[in-house]
Amino acid sequence: MKMLIIIILALAAATTVGLMSLDDPGLMVLSYGQNTWELPLVLGLLLMVVAFALLYLLFNFLFGIFRAPKKAKAWNQQRQNKNAQNDTLRGYARLIEGNWEQGEKDLVKRLDHCNTPMLNYLGAAYAAQQQNNYDKRDEYLALAEKLDPANRMAIDITRARMLTQAGDYVEAKALLETMHHHAPANKTVLRLMTDVLQQTDDWTGIKALLPKLEKTKALPEAQVMALNVAAREANLSLAVPDTINTSTLNEYKQLPRKHKKDAQMATMFAKQLINEGELHQAEAVIRKAIAKDWSSELAGLYGKTDIDDLRKQIALATTWLTEHEEDAMVNLTLARLNLAYKQYDKARVYYNTAIEQGAGDEAFYELGQFYETEGNHKTALTYYKKGMQAVITGSVASATGLAFQTGASSEAAESIVMPGAADNALVAVETVEAELIESVEVLEQKV
């Protein structure tokens, strides 16, 4: 566009000069020493323009030759930068594919010409870790920190992640504690600390970290609550109940109000109180929690509590049934309460209804005991065997799932696993199965 404008202006100027020279072409006189030359004005101007253009081209050519080395260097630098960028992209592509060795080579191939050398070192460190080359990993991380000390926090977070992944929890914990001291509200650091504390079963540390997790919202509220439950359960499992002042009850009373409303928290405390024989206290915990937030699991536990007034308990559970008719746990609780109240026909109906709704091995075992008490050994044997089948098909699968979760990190699944959950589930399965097998063997002899 610019050249077109220049051409148009040049043509306009030439046309103007040509028209002016029609009447009077003018005269240009050139004198040098004793020599004199006379030229038409138009021709003289034309020669001057041509001479100027030639001089311009000559000087431009000479300057081009002078600038050639610098331009060549800039072109070469640009080419090197482009190749380095391609190597970086190719290196990260290899990491995504799982080709760690080639990815590492590509990422460190042209670091002198790379625009993101720190990121390349971090990627190379990750690749080295996947090859179990921890010395090389640490070397890359040190180089990244030396190259870009302003981003030390990001580099240390990456180092902590890698240490955790490698199972070096002691060093990871020490590094995270240092980082947490300098950046107490950093959400990523808090999440990593939680993961390391979980992996090392340091539930006391998690309990101390919970207020910050809740305040900073580093984890979803449901996950923080699950951690709270797990930490308290671990703490209670280590405590020795005092016959005068039960530690579980004191712990529950000290909970914040919103935690008492949480069904998961109430379930944990109710189970612990039942195990300790504090059935009156467990009843109160369950009743108050269900009034705030319905829980099928809590409803199932209610049948294991006692307040010396079975009619009152049955009446309360019956009100639940009006709104949760298809809930197996409500029917199982009514079966247990009616059995304790010696309403055997009602108990039998509720047990069968609970089983039809999928109540599981406990219902089979308890109904088998009921028939055994009545002397109906064949029917009892049938329910014991069904209970064994339920254990095999249900509880074992559940325990396997818990074992799988226990081996997973929070970066991959962000899931909370109760302390020793897999082991506890497997022990529970083995206990129920042993009781059923023993009952079956005894009844088979009688039958």
Side-chain angles (χ1 to χ4, degrees), residues 17-32:
V17 172
L19 292 173
M20 291 175 60
S21 63
L22 288 177
D23 297 329
D24 184 8
L27 184 66
M28 178 182 287
V29 178
L30 298 176
S31 176
Y32 181 76

Side-chain angles (χ1 to χ4, degrees), residues 35-101:
N35 298 317
T36 302
W37 296 275
E38 293 182 359
L39 296 172
L41 180 60
V42 175
L43 180 59
L45 292 174
L46 181 60
L47 290 174
M48 288 177 64
V49 170
V50 171
F52 177 79
L54 291 174
L55 287 172
Y56 173 80
L57 293 174
L58 176 62
F59 281 109
N60 193 44
F61 174 73
L62 293 175
F63 278 117
I65 293 174
F66 178 76
R67 292 195 301 266
K70 187 175 180 180
K71 284 187 175 182
K73 185 178 180 180
W75 174 83
N76 185 60
Q77 182 67 34
Q78 186 178 8
R79 182 178 63 85
Q80 293 281 10
N81 290 344
K82 186 176 181 180
N83 289 337
Q85 183 181 8
N86 291 335
D87 286 337
T88 297
L89 295 174
R90 187 164 49 250
Y92 278 107
R94 297 295 84 80
L95 293 190
I96 294 171
E97 295 169 1
N99 189 347
W100 314 119
E101 184 177 359

Side-chain angles (χ1 to χ4, degrees), residues 128-326:
Q129 164 137 323
Q130 301 310 307
Q131 301 172 76
N132 298 322
N133 192 342
Y134 301 124
D135 291 338
K136 200 69 175 177
R137 173 202 67 190
D138 294 339
E139 180 184 340
Y140 287 137
L141 290 172
L143 288 170
E145 187 173 335
K146 181 179 179 181
L147 184 69
D148 195 354
N151 285 311
R152 182 175 179 178
M153 175 64 76
I155 296 168
D156 281 344
I157 286 175
T158 303
R159 180 183 283 110
R161 287 184 188 278
M162 292 183 183
L163 288 170
T164 304
Q165 184 188 45
D168 193 350
Y169 301 122
V170 175
E171 190 173 347
K173 185 178 180 180
L175 175 61
L176 287 167
E177 286 176 349
T178 302
M179 295 167 65
H180 180 59
H181 177 73
H182 294 292
N186 188 291
K187 295 181 181 181
T188 303
V189 173
L190 288 171
R191 284 193 290 266
L192 287 171
M193 285 187 70
T194 302
D195 187 41
V196 170
L197 293 172
Q198 272 189 271
Q199 295 293 342
T200 55
D201 287 332
D202 186 356
W203 295 99
T204 302
I206 287 179
K207 188 176 179 180
L209 200 64
L210 285 171
K212 291 183 179 178
L213 289 172
E214 191 170 2
K215 183 178 180 180
T216 61
K217 301 186 185 300
L219 293 173
E221 186 176 354
Q223 194 170 345
V224 174
M225 181 59 70
L227 278 170
N228 201 331
V229 172
R232 292 179 182 278
E233 186 174 29
N235 182 57
L236 289 174
S237 66
L238 296 174
V240 178
D242 184 35
T243 55
I244 299 175
N245 197 7
T246 307
S247 61
T248 303
L249 184 59
N250 287 339
E251 185 85 11
Y252 182 76
K253 288 180 178 179
Q254 292 172 11
L255 287 177
R257 183 177 297 178
K258 70 173 184 178
H259 287 179
K260 289 180 180 178
K261 296 178 182 179
D262 182 75
Q264 191 178 13
M265 185 71 75
T267 300
M268 186 272 292
F269 275 99
K271 285 181 178 179
Q272 188 71 18
L273 288 167
I274 290 171
N275 290 338
E276 294 175 2
E278 294 289 338
L279 304 184
H280 286 64
Q281 302 297 343
E283 190 276 341
V285 169
I286 293 172
R287 176 166 38 81
K288 292 176 181 178
I290 283 183
K292 300 293 183 180
D293 184 19
W294 173 256
S295 167
S296 179
E297 187 175 7
L298 278 174
L301 289 174
Y302 191 73
K304 297 181 179 181
T305 64
D306 180 20
I307 57 171
D308 297 328
D309 191 345
L310 286 168
R311 291 180 62 183
K312 187 175 181 180
Q313 284 188 276
I314 291 171
L316 176 60
T318 303
T319 62
W320 297 342
L321 192 64
T322 58
E323 296 182 4
H324 306 279
E325 186 178 354
E326 301 299 322

